[in-house]
Amino acid sequence: MQEVAAVGAFNPKPPIEMSSAHAPPLAEVSLVSSSALLTILSFPDCDLWPLAWVGLVPLLVVIAQSSKESRAFLLGWLWGVIFFYGTCWWLTFPMIHYAHIAAWLAYPLLILPVALVAIFPGLFSAVLTRLVSRFGSAALFDAPLSSTTLD
């Protein structure tokens, strides 16, 4: 036992450092989350359709100010996860009623397809960040075309 401790003392492993270079700050995460929630509320279940006109503005502002494509991808992916989970929650109905999966398991299972579909808003965010860094803020007018192309 002492030999193992002695060997470990001579060959210490360096501590694993977590790099937060690509992690978005809390302010950006909260803006993107609020953008997704505003967009969810604009759907017919809540009947707050005027929010559709302003729901994407916080997302576009954060993406336009982002300097790293990887950070923009993560923020777009987060927006997609929140938005698609909030609008596709009804997909648990067939799992619960026809596949007889317990509700406590059906709702977490929905995260898998939602996380995959959320890749497309992430790609849109990365492409839009690249366009804004290359052509300036006028590239935001290209957002509908970029979104349609990537979806």
Side-chain angles (χ1 to χ4, degrees):
M1 183 73 166
Q2 293 174 352
E3 294 172 0
V4 173
V7 170
F10 288 104
N11 297 326
K13 294 181 181 179
I16 299 173
E17 295 182 20
M18 297 295 287
S19 174
S20 64
H22 299 294
L26 185 60
E28 291 179 353
V29 170
S30 62
L31 275 173
V32 168
S33 300
S34 66
S35 173
L37 292 174
L38 286 174
T39 310
I40 291 168
L41 290 174
S42 71
F43 273 65
D45 286 342
C46 299
D47 200 27
L48 297 171
W49 61 267
L51 292 178
W53 291 99
V54 295
L56 291 176
V57 172
L59 174 69
L60 294 175
V61 167
V62 169
I63 290 172
Q65 293 176 352
S66 181
S67 60
K68 296 184 180 183
E69 294 169 17
S70 58
R71 180 180 290 176
F73 176 82
L74 286 174
L75 289 169
W77 182 80
L78 174 67
W79 184 91
V81 166
I82 295 169
F83 172 75
F84 289 121
Y85 196 86
T87 56
C88 296
W89 59 269
W90 56 269
L91 289 173
T92 57
F93 182 82
M95 287 192 276
I96 294 168
H97 293 285
Y98 300 121
H100 303 291
I101 296 175
W104 64 268
L105 183 59
Y107 286 98
L109 278 176
L110 184 61
I111 292 175
L112 297 172
V114 162
L116 287 174
V117 175
I119 290 173
F120 294 106
L123 290 174
F124 160 73
S125 300
V127 166
L128 193 61
T129 296
R130 177 171 274 194
L131 289 173
V132 168
S133 68
R134 185 167 182 188
F135 299 111
S137 60
L140 288 173
F141 290 109
D142 190 43
L145 179 64
S146 300
S147 176
T148 306
T149 303
L150 291 170
D151 290 342

